[in-house]
Structures are given as C-alpha cells and as structure tokens.
Amino acid sequence: MAAYFLNSNMDPREYMVIPLWCLMFTLLSRVMDYLFGGLREGTTPWEWRNLMTSSLHSVISATLACICMCMFDDPFADRLETRTICCMSLGYLVHDLLDVVFRGDRPLTNTYKWVIVHHLVVLYVMPLIAYGYGGLGVACLTMETNSLGIHIRSFLKLKGFKREHIANIVNNIVLLLTCLCFRFIFSVIILRDAVTRTRLPPYLSYATVFLLIFMFGLGVRFFYVVLKKDLLNVFRQKTLKAKTSSGKTNGSVPLVNNNSNTNHYKIH
C-alpha cells in the first residue's frame, strides 16, 4: 500500500491539506456556534454545534460533488479538483470523529456508535479512492445530498416538530427520493464503474466494494425506518383521526337529543 501511494499521481503536499481542513472545520464549528447559538434552545451547545457543522459540510460537499458530476465529460476521472474535494471531506470526517469521541456531551449510544463506524469505514476507504481514483470519491460524496435531508430531519426533531407536521412530511418525502436516487441507484452505477473501469489494486477494489455495500445497507435500513415510522404511521394516524372525527360528528346529533330529553325528564 505504501508503494502504491508513492507511485500515485498525487502530490505529497496534498496530504498536508487534510489536517488543515480538519482545523478549518474546527474553527467553522465555533463560528457557527457564535452566529446561530441563539437558536439552540432545547439542545446542548455541543449537539447544536455538531449538527450545524455537519449540515455545512453536507451543503459544501454535495454542491461541489454534483457540480463535478455535471461539469466534466468524464466525472469519474482523477483530477486535482476531485482530490481537493475528497481531502476537504476527509478533513471534516477527522474533525467530526474526534468531536464525537472526545468532546461529545452525550453517551455513545447506538446512534453515535454507528456514526463512528461509518466514519472509520469512510476514513479507511476514501483516501485509497482519492489518491488513486479521485473521481470515484467525489461520486460517493453525492450521497451527502441525502445527508443534508437527514440533518434537516434532526433539526426539526430537536426543535420539537411533530412527525405529522407538514415540514416533517415534506422533508421525509424529499429524503426518501434523494435516498432512492443517490444511495441506491447511483451506488449501483458507482459500483459498476469501480469494478469495470478502475485500475486499482485488487485489495483497494475490494475495499471500495465493501464501502458501497456498507453504505447501501445503511441506506436500506434508514429508508425502511423513515418510510414506516415517519410517513406510513403518520398517514395511518391521520386516517384514523379523520374516521374518528367523522364518526363523532355523525353521532353528535342523537347524543345531544338524548341529553336534552334526559334533562327535560329530570326537570319535570
């Protein structure tokens, strides 16, 4: 692996950009906390700062990744631009991993354990992609389009929006569409190109395949949870409420008459 990195087309000075991006996102988290700290009512300072920084990374990386996919004739080719975007995202992942493990003010619940596993997998595989086939790494970053919807979902939950609120319903529908497009369909395209077009060594190709399968599995699990709990249950509850309210409305007239007759009998 060391020989492969030494023989890659990537300038060794580009490696130094990763810790610089890590430091940059650390500073940005402080700036975001200063600018939007007044909106964190109901959340802890760390939780709010982490959510805002993650949302900022999703906006930047998803926008740049989609621009690369649309601008270049061969978006999967290795370029300076694609390697720069990958290094930026790697710097954020290092920052977020350290932030969750060492600075988080909440226990490492199952959610945060999955975050750590996700970051470790991506941190292991994405450098291999970025240094040998940067375009593939940028293609994977298009999944951040779906991650932005996940951050909005977390924001609405933290601010007390109920599941049946129109903002949650609209965001969940968009979330499922972007999950279907970028995490499912696009993952298959990336997997095909990773197997057929790349010239990575076999163990790096296997690592890429493992990453995409892992991300695909997480996407399926998340798609099921959002579809069942946040959409189907909400629509089912609204249907039951509508039937209950219509039943009460239809039965209200005889109920009033019975009460009036009873009161009339008691008076006389």
Side-chain angles (χ1 to χ4, degrees), residues 51-70:
L51 178 59
M52 295 298 293
T53 309
S54 300
S55 302
L56 179 64
H57 167 259
S58 295
V59 171
I60 296 175
S61 58
T63 302
L64 294 177
C66 291
I67 290 175
C68 285
M69 291 293 103
C70 299

Side-chain angles (χ1 to χ4, degrees), residues 156 160-172 230-231 234-235 238:
L156 294 175
F161 283 75
K162 296 182 179 180
R163 289 180 177 177
E164 57 269 19
H165 195 279
I166 186 63
N168 259 322
I169 294 177
V170 172
N171 180 68
N172 286 329
D230 290 354
L231 282 181
V234 169
F235 292 148
K238 286 192 173 185

Side-chain angles (χ1 to χ4, degrees), residues 19-32:
L20 292 178
W21 276 114
C22 178
L23 179 61
M24 179 65 69
F25 275 103
T26 302
L27 296 176
L28 284 175
S29 66
R30 296 296 181 180
V31 173
M32 298 288 287

Side-chain angles (χ1 to χ4, degrees), residues 200-231:
L200 296 174
Y203 54 87
L204 298 184
S205 298
Y206 297 151
T208 304
V209 172
F210 172 75
L211 166 69
L212 293 174
I213 293 176
F214 178 80
M215 298 300 295
F216 191 89
L218 287 182
V220 170
R221 178 178 177 273
F222 181 76
F223 190 93
Y224 172 78
V225 170
V226 174
L227 180 63
K228 181 179 179 180
K229 292 185 178 180
D230 290 354
L231 282 181

Side-chain angles (χ1 to χ4, degrees), residues 60 65 77 152 186 192 210 243 256 267:
I60 296 175
I152 295 175
F186 209 64
R192 181 200 63 187
F210 172 75
K243 290 181 179 180
V256 172
I267 291 174

Side-chain angles (χ1 to χ4, degrees), residues 34-153:
Y34 176 78
L35 294 177
F36 304 102
L39 301 176
R40 66 180 180 221
E41 182 180 358
T43 64
T44 63
W46 173 83
E47 190 176 19
W48 180 256
R49 184 172 61 249
N50 183 271
L51 178 59
M52 295 298 293
T53 309
S54 300
S55 302
L56 179 64
H57 167 259
S58 295
V59 171
I60 296 175
S61 58
T63 302
L64 294 177
C66 291
I67 290 175
C68 285
M69 291 293 103
C70 299
M71 185 173 61
F72 298 123
D73 295 333
D74 187 5
F76 293 94
D78 186 51
R79 295 182 177 86
L80 175 63
E81 296 86 353
T82 57
R83 294 197 299 269
T84 302
I85 296 173
C86 288
C87 288
M88 179 206 68
S89 186
L90 285 171
Y92 162 75
L93 289 173
V94 172
H95 155 77
D96 195 53
L97 182 62
L98 297 176
D99 192 45
V100 171
V101 174
F102 296 107
R103 300 178 60 186
D105 56 4
R106 295 178 61 182
L108 293 179
T109 59
N110 290 333
T111 301
Y112 285 97
K113 288 179 181 177
W114 275 110
V115 169
I116 293 173
V117 171
H118 167 267
H119 284 3
L120 289 176
V121 170
V122 177
L123 283 172
Y124 172 73
V125 178
M126 281 198 65
L128 312 184
I129 301 173
Y131 301 153
Y133 207 65
L136 190 60
V138 171
C140 293
L141 284 176
T142 56
M143 299 180 188
E144 287 297 322
T145 306
N146 179 246
S147 298
L148 180 59
I150 296 176
H151 296 320
I152 295 175
R153 180 173 178 264

